[in-house]
């Protein structure tokens, strides 16, 4: 076992994969700087900075993949994908179906996501629910270095379009770049085990569509992806002190969802708390509720999600993003509704 | 080089006859919803695709039939696709606006402007995997106002991608005259995005062929993208069943239900000044007039123009062969239909 | 009581509203033709055809509203909004929050949506779940002429951004234009009471965020919007013959959801079937499940939604879109799981 | 007309001093995340906004402070907004990239290119409600590759909207030299979209003022949009804490952790040819060199250039007044902070 940062894990996988397969190319804004090491190793033809033309180059990624390459298209922050969503919704996701199954789109879309560093509501969104909605798109959100590498490997190997989302609190270079700018006087609630940790000596793909139970407890299940997972783990630790034992499920993949693992856990705990940094309504958290109801698993259910535009002010931002305290409170109410009054 | 006039004529004719058959099938209700034809713009398509060979890619818009017919796609599969059959070109899943042929690197989209990025992606793949091979983007003049298309011309210029951007300018976006909603000049615009720009009369297949020859060669040599602007006229309007043409062709029936509300609206109290209302009505009449004028191809017919350049013998040979081929394909494709379910 | 087509109801409201309030303007592609009567009445300055530049003119709608107009921006089909989603997701929906509540965006986005006429998967989507996801957007989907007019009136009067979605099977002119093209030899499964019906003599706003129970029955609740509502009503009629009585809820507004009405109905029936023409996952149907679970209402739950790219072929299209037969079958299983085997 | 040199100098100085104070607050950690300044481009902003009055609108990009400061926004409210205070300009909800002032019809966006459509919408409202009033769009040269901005120039041309599109060209998009990813010429491009185009040296506030005067007048008269292209240089790079400038300023510390992986990457087996790798490294060095050069404004400083045109007396009067004003505002805004919670 080696240890690595979240960011290095992804880079390590890319170095290996790009060395092995010349069809893999990377493009996006500023990639010569953001992926400087890849740029130095593979040269500008394979690591290519783009104009600020997300619609053009994301759309080009789709047909580049159809033409035989394995492009990794970078959209700096997921918020910006709003200007180019057509390439995913109406093209990448649909072409396999449109072509009668004859043509596939092996493209990876790599994006930074998430908040917690005071950048305001147009630069801190999660948006995985929106991207997952359209049939044909896969969306993965790793929560630690091993899965970051493993899911990137799977994404590259997948024959369909996969959105790979890396949370800015987990990828140290994003935070250094966007939040600190060389300052040492700011604090972020960085999940340590998410940002740095063990990775396998030889990279193995983390299967897309497989959740992982990272903590077992009988009183309720918590489910999350990315940073939310760590918030749940911390909440679970606090809840233990209060005599509540929570299972925690790292969904890892938003789409396709691993409904089996979820249902299995909730069948035992009879309670589900979803901590989701994405918007509350019409997204991941609702889909998990539907999953349980469809499976006929009765359970108490609650969500700790983002319910409004993320505020710029870091204090209010911290309240709007799912935080440990909100999760703990909601979990207690879920387990013991009477505690509401206490 | 000089184009092979007979071959070009033959390609155009095949597409024309094919789309005439499509028109009949559509009218009979065997093809659903929006069917956009290339009739009238065959000169542009033929003049361009004649330069293509294996490994070259085509990004198509909502008018994808002609390029595929001319590149030799199986007509039976194609017609079956338009009819939504499971054994159609795309298993009946894509339909008229979503025709995909991996072997030809040909992909379509019904989203206006999407052929720009699509051509860039194909060209990028070619740059890496099939040097010397290129990509064509087909689109209308109104698509030039769609951001992603402009972005993609710039992208192609910045990356020296082997793309030829072919703008088929019929002057209309459905019912909107493009001049009214388009600033500047499209060739200037393309130059300002880093492409070389050239304009031709799209009804002259030879002229298109020669302009395309240079553009294709530039692309193959890695000298970057060209914007090929070609004018055309489309007698079927925007799509089969174009609402303006329906009125033009059959004013009494078509206007019956429309005139009452229109007159009431134009004369009701409240609203714009009489002058402005009159201007609106004028512009509606204008729109109908324009549609009427477009109906007749006349000297804008690339097929007729090319036919005149051929000898009677050349022409009748091609006519018979092509008509036979298309008729046979339609028969084969509709056999089951004729036989009943 | 007057009777009107769905389309005429909207036009009638617009005629009145635009006469009364000169700040209301309409723009979008081809509006001089598609809204010919409004064009003739109000002139080109107020009914203005645009270039095919959805990002520019939808974005312009946002600030035109901030600048004092009440724009109604038309995006022909909701599928095309994918090229311009940034204007909604990152601007229209967020500016009230960003400005600290000081600035509002009274814009209506009018779009045609839905399938059932063989136009393929890029032109028949519903996408209301996607649009509703971002806090700050309202989304309404009327199912009949009275609500079409009433909700358009509310949308115009609302001080925030509202997406007004009209289903192409309900709005006759869309079908004539896109599907028939003057042909008489094609059939569509048009809900008659949706396309034509009574409207009030004097227009009243239909409140945004109020669902309506359109049928009462004790065995299960069905919820839907738009055409789906009529499929449910027809299914309910068939189910009656089989001894099953369904309540049917017309949600009318996707966002904000009327959770009270839904919960009240499901509290009684203990079963919810969602028939949704939008994609199944991460959307409206999931949100309804979450609503019930959050309210602690145990219920059987099932969904009849779109689960893949909508096929071009009309036969398969009819299977992929929620149809009456699928609804009836799923409803029967929901009420009597044993019937599965039967 | 001739500009009021003292007034322009005073505006630029106020913005400069204000942003210097912002820099200090940012370094102390009182302002979170990305803070983009206008330092170096004050000549462009001042030369344009001096022509605006009530009813004129401004669509701002991620560098919104200077235009607001120069239009007279309360500095205390502004600084409090940057610090995320509840009594800030936008209640601390918007922050540096989302500054909104309804009374000035000023709206910002952190989405590159979004100021184009935004200006069109404001201009449309003005066309209807406040004839003669206009809208300005501020954006960088790299934003000209964003589709919606190009679309909006065309829209403004097609609708004769009273917009002045102000392109502040520092030649860079974060770390990407714009020339490398931009085809053609931006003025040609704007002309191809139907705008009138004019280029000026943005460090010469007088030149900007005169070019803007004509553009604003055209817009007010309903003669359509102008594309005003102005060059500039920004000594703080892309934003405070620009990673390239950090290296340039403090190479030893900043490169410590970076050089090892970079060398390993550049020399590891597999990957591109030695030539291509060398080219990559060359281009990285280039990027750093370019950043280093930008640090010093020198003759690109609009403030210094304008100062030279004033008399000593004029200058010292303004200096004292402006410095006092800014210092007082900062004091007032940070009072509570100093006092502790
Ligand atoms: C993004 C988008 N907006 C609008 C439409 C609807 N639409 C389809 S074709 C068309 C007109 C296209 O005009 P042009 O590009 O000139 O091509 P033509 O049809 O004349 O060949 C429009 C507006 C669409 N399909 N996609
Ligand atoms: C749509 C979008 N893509 C990317 C970004 C990230 N980004 C922010 S500023 C910037 C560079 C902008 O360059 P330019 O337009 O020249 O303005 P400048 O910063 O030089 O003033 C980029 C890429 C963004 N904010 N929005
Ligand atoms: Mg056209
Ligand atoms: Mg710049």
């Amino acid at each position: 076992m080696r240890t690595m940062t979240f960011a290095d894990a992804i880079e390590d996988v890319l170095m290996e994969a790009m060395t092995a397969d010349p069809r893999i190319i990377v493009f996006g804004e500023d990639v010569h700087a953001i992926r400087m090491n890849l740029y130095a190793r593979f040269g500008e033809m394979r690591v290519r900075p783009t104009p600020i033309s997300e619609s053009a180059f994301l759309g080009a990624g789709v047909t580049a993949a159809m033409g035989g390459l394995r492009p990794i298209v970078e959209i700096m922050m997921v918020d910006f994908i709003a200007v180019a969503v057509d390439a995913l919704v109406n093209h990448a996701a649909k072409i396999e179906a449109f072509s009668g199954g004859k043509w596939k789109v092996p493209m990876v879309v790599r994006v930074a996501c998430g908040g917690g560093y005071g950048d305001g509501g147009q630069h801190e969104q999660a948006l995985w629910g929106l991207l997952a909605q359209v049939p044909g798109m896969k969306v993965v959100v790793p929560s630690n270095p091993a899965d970051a590498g493993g899911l990137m490997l799977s994404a590259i190997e997948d024959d369909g379009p996969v959105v790979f989302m890396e949370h800015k609190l987990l990828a140290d270079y994003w935070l250094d770049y966007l939040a600190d700018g060389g300052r040492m006087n700011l604090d972020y609630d960085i999940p340590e085990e998410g940002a740095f940790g063990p990775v396998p000596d030889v990279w193995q793909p983390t299967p897309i569509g497989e959740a992982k139970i990272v903590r077992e407890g009988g009183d309720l299940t918590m489910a999350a992806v990315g940073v939310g997972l760590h918030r749940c783990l911390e909440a679970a630790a606090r809840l233990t002190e209060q005599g509540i034992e929570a299972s925690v499920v790292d969904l890892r993949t938003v789409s396709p969802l691993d409904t089996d693992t979820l249902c299995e856990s909730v069948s035992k705990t009879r309670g589900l708390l979803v901590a989701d940094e994405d918007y509350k309504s019409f997204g991941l958290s609702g889909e998990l509720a539907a999953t349980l109801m469809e499976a006929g698993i009765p359970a108490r259910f609650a969500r700790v999600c983002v319910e409004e535009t993320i505020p710029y002010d870091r204090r209010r931002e911290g309240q709007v993003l799912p935080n440990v305290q909100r999760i703990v409170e909601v979990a207690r109410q879920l387990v013991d509704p009477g505690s509401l009054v206490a | 080089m000089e184009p092979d006039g007979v071959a070009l004529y033959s390609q155009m004719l095949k597409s024309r006859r094919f789309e005439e058959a499509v028109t009949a099938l559509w009218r009979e209700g065997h093809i659903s919803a929006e069917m956009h034809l290339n009739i009238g713009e065959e000169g542009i398509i033929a003049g361009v695709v004649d330069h293509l060979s294996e490994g070259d890619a085509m990004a198509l818009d909502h008018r994808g039939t002609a390029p595929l017919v001319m590149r030799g796609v199986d007509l039976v599969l194609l017609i079956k696709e338009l009819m939504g059959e499971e054994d159609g070109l795309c298993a009946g899943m894509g339909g008229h606006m979503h025709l995909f042929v991996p072997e030809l690197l040909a992909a379509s989209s019904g989203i206006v402007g999407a052929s720009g990025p699509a051509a860039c992606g194909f060209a990028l793949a070619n740059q890496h995997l099939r040097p010397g091979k290129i990509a064509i983007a087909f689109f209308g003049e109104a698509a030039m106002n769609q951001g992603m298309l402009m972005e993609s011309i710039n992208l192609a210029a910045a990356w020296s991608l082997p793309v030829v951007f072919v703008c088929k300018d019929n002057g209309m976006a459905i019912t909107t005259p493009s001049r009214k909603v388009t600033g500047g000049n499209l060739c200037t615009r393309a130059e300002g995005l880093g492409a070389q720009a050239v304009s031709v009369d799209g009804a002259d297949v030879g002229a298109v062929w020669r302009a395309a020859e240079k553009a294709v060669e530039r692309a193959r040599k890695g000298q970057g993208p060209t914007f090929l602007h070609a004018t055309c006229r489309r007698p079927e309007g925007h799509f089969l069943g174009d609402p303006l043409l329906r009125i033009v062709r059959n004013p009494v029936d078509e206007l019956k239900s429309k005139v009452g509300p229109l007159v009431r609206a134009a004369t009701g109290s409240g609203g714009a000044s009489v002058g402005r209302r009159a201007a609106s009505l004028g512009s509606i009449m204008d729109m109908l007039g324009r549609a009427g004028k477009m109906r007749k191809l006349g000297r804008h017919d690339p097929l007729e123009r090319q036919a005149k350049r051929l000898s009677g013998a050349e022409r009748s040979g091609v006519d018979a062969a092509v008509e036979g081929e298309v008729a046979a394909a339609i028969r084969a494709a509709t056999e089951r239909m004729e036989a009943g379910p």
Side-chain angles (χ1 to χ4, degrees), chain A, chain B:
Chain A
M1 273 286 176
R2 307 171 286 172
T3 49
M4 270 186 199
T5 65
F6 187 94
D8 286 345
I10 303 171
E11 182 168 298
D12 199 56
V13 163
L14 291 178
M15 279 282 178
E16 275 186 35
M18 290 180 72
T19 303
D21 186 348
R23 297 171 307 167
I24 303 172
I25 63 169
V26 173
F27 54 91
E29 290 151 26
D30 273 357
V31 290
H32 57 285
I34 299 175
R35 311 292 168 220
M36 198 183 278
N37 296 334
L38 297 176
Y39 181 69
R41 171 75 146 268
F42 300 104
E44 181 146 318
M45 282 298 284
R46 291 183 64 197
V47 181
R48 212 162 183 179
T50 61
I52 310 182
S53 307
E54 284 86 357
S55 307
F57 71 76
L58 189 56
V62 176
T63 41
M66 293 163 70
L69 294 174
R70 312 286 292 195
I72 301 175
V73 185
E74 300 221 13
I75 304 285
M76 282 194 174
M77 302 199 203
V78 71
D79 317 70
F80 310 154
I81 224 169
V83 305
V85 128
D86 176 68
L88 301 183
V89 167
N90 285 326
H91 296 89
K94 290 187 169 50
I95 280 170
E96 185 176 346
F98 278 159
S99 69
K102 287 191 301 189
W103 219 344
K104 294 195 163 69
V105 182
M107 168 174 73
V108 179
V109 182
R110 180 177 182 182
V111 292
C113 67
Y117 62 100
D119 213 7
Q122 226 178 29
H123 289 69
E124 296 207 331
Q125 297 172 91
L127 297 186
W128 43 70
L130 192 148
L131 298 173
Q133 244 182 33
V134 183
M137 287 303 304
K138 298 193 177 94
V139 179
V140 301
V141 188
S143 70
N144 59 57
D147 284 343
L151 284 168
M152 178 51 93
L153 192 54
S154 288
I156 292 172
E157 289 175 358
D158 201 284
D159 280 333
V162 180
V163 181
F164 179 96
M165 307 188 72
E166 62 191 278
H167 198 292
K168 282 168 262 167
L169 287 192
L170 299 178
D172 51 1
Y173 68 98
W174 276 125
L175 217 49
D176 175 64
Y177 178 63
L178 295 171
D180 278 341
R183 294 177 290 179
M184 301 298 200
N185 44 16
L186 288 166
D187 286 324
Y188 312 99
D189 194 357
I190 298 172
E192 277 185 33
E193 308 198 343
F196 184 81
V199 302
D201 288 325
V202 177
W203 282 111
Q204 295 295 330
T206 302
I208 292 177
E210 253 186 39
K212 190 174 168 189
I213 299 182
V214 289
R215 188 184 200 281
E216 297 260 14
D219 296 325
L220 86 159
T221 301
M222 295 180 180
V225 292
V227 164
L229 189 271
H230 299 281
R231 304 285 182 254
C232 287
L233 283 171
E234 201 178 324
R238 287 209 212 155
L239 286 164
T240 298
E241 296 162 17
Q242 303 176 30
I244 296 174
E245 291 301 334
S247 285
V248 178
V249 179
D250 187 348
L251 296 167
R252 304 201 288 192
T253 300
V254 174
S255 173
L257 266 180
D258 179 354
T259 53
D260 289 350
T261 301
L262 183 84
C263 289
E264 200 188 302
S265 175
V266 180
S267 303
K268 292 186 219 146
T269 62
R270 301 278 144 174
L272 176 63
L273 182 157
V274 186
D276 191 15
E277 197 174 324
D278 200 358
Y279 296 121
K280 176 175 161 189
S281 295
F282 308 99
L284 172 60
S285 61
E287 189 59 22
L288 296 180
T291 299
L292 295 181
M293 290 190 75
E294 283 181 323
I297 301 171
R300 291 145 294 141
F301 175 79
R303 329 189 239 187
V304 179
C305 307
V306 173
E307 301 184 33
E308 56 183 272
T309 297
I310 301 171
Y312 168 73
D313 168 20
R314 288 200 62 203
R315 285 151 297 192
R316 280 169 285 167
E317 177 197 37
Q319 290 309 308
V320 167
L321 295 173
N323 62 38
V324 175
Q325 193 180 333
R326 274 170 73 200
I327 297 172
V328 167
E329 275 164 25
V330 171
R332 284 183 52 204
Q333 287 168 25
L334 200 66
V335 173
D336 175 14
S339 75
L340 191 61
V341 226
Chain B
M1 262 176 60
E2 275 305 294
D4 175 344
V6 175
L8 290 177
Y9 173 75
S10 162
Q11 291 288 33
M12 292 194 288
L13 185 68
K14 183 161 76 163
S15 178
R16 178 71 58 92
R17 291 291 171 265
F18 183 77
E19 291 197 330
E20 284 162 356
V22 165
T23 303
L25 288 168
W26 184 87
R27 285 200 201 291
E28 289 158 23
H30 300 303
I31 295 175
S32 59
E34 305 175 69
M35 181 74 231
H36 309 82
L37 301 181
N38 302 83
I39 291 183
E41 54 181 52
E42 296 99 337
I44 308 175
I45 316 282
V48 170
V49 306
D50 193 53
H51 298 284
L52 305 185
S53 58
E54 204 191 319
D56 292 327
M58 300 195 299
L60 310 172
D61 64 358
H62 50 294
R63 304 184 192 279
T65 31
L68 296 181
V69 168
M70 296 189 197
R71 289 296 302 283
V73 161
D74 184 319
L75 298 183
V76 177
L77 292 181
L78 187 51
I79 199 82
K80 285 192 173 189
E81 183 60 26
L82 300 182
M83 297 196 303
E85 306 279 341
E86 305 221 5
D87 53 356
L89 186 65
C90 299
M93 289 294 292
H96 32 49
M97 283 189 273
H98 312 111
L99 301 166
F100 289 85
V101 189
E103 311 84 62
L104 290 176
L105 290 173
S108 313
S109 175
I111 303 298
V112 168
S115 62
C120 286
F122 280 134
L124 181 63
N126 280 351
Q127 206 180 45
H128 279 265
L129 305 174
R130 292 171 289 271
K133 294 296 171 184
I134 67 161
I136 306 290
F138 284 112
F139 52 86
E141 83 296 336
M144 277 295 286
N145 293 327
Q146 180 64 246
M148 69 172 127
L149 178 53
M150 294 188 270
E151 287 184 358
S152 64
I153 298 176
N154 177 68
L155 184 68
W159 287 2
S160 292
L161 294 175
V163 184
V164 182
F165 292 94
V166 180
C167 180
K168 305 168 293 170
D169 189 344
N170 73 327
M172 293 289 283
I174 313 187
T175 69
T176 305
S178 286
R179 214 165 3 106
K180 182 166 174 167
V181 291
T182 307
N185 167 291
L186 295 185
C187 284
T188 309
R189 189 182 292 189
E191 281 163 1
L193 290 158
Q196 227 173 59
V198 55
S199 250
V200 289
D201 175 358
D204 180 347
V205 68
V208 174
W209 192 93
R210 280 181 288 269
E213 185 185 31
K214 288 210 193 88
V216 167
E217 195 182 304
R218 279 193 75 220
R220 293 205 193 286
K221 289 192 178 150
Q223 292 166 346
T226 302
F227 179 75
L228 179 55
H229 178 262
T231 48
C232 63
R233 178 177 277 197
R234 280 202 312 266
E236 284 293 344
H238 181 67
F239 47 22
L240 288 173
D242 182 302
L244 300 179
L245 284 178
R246 277 161 61 193
I247 297 177
V248 169
R249 285 175 178 147
N250 192 359
V252 178
D253 284 356
E254 290 285 341
L255 286 178
K256 212 163 29 197
S257 61
K258 293 192 177 74
V259 165
L262 184 62
V263 169
R264 262 197 307 285
T267 57
S269 70
S273 66
V274 175
R276 282 182 193 266
R277 295 188 199 198
S280 284
L281 288 176
S283 134
I284 293 168
M285 296 324 285
D286 226 56
M287 186 165 80
L288 289 171
R290 195 187 304 263
K293 232 172 66 188
M294 300 278 181
R295 270 171 77 200
K296 295 266 170 292
L297 276 178
R299 50 168 242 92
H300 299 281
D301 188 350
L303 197 59
E304 278 311 307
R305 289 261 289 265
Q306 186 61 11
K308 291 206 187 99
R309 295 193 184 125
L310 307 184
S311 71
E314 280 172 333
R315 195 176 157 174
S316 61
V318 171
D319 287 5
V322 165
E323 269 151 32
E325 181 188 355
V326 171
I330 302 296
R331 241 189 340 268
T334 54
E335 227 162 33
R336 193 170 43 191
M337 195 175 79
E338 308 280 284

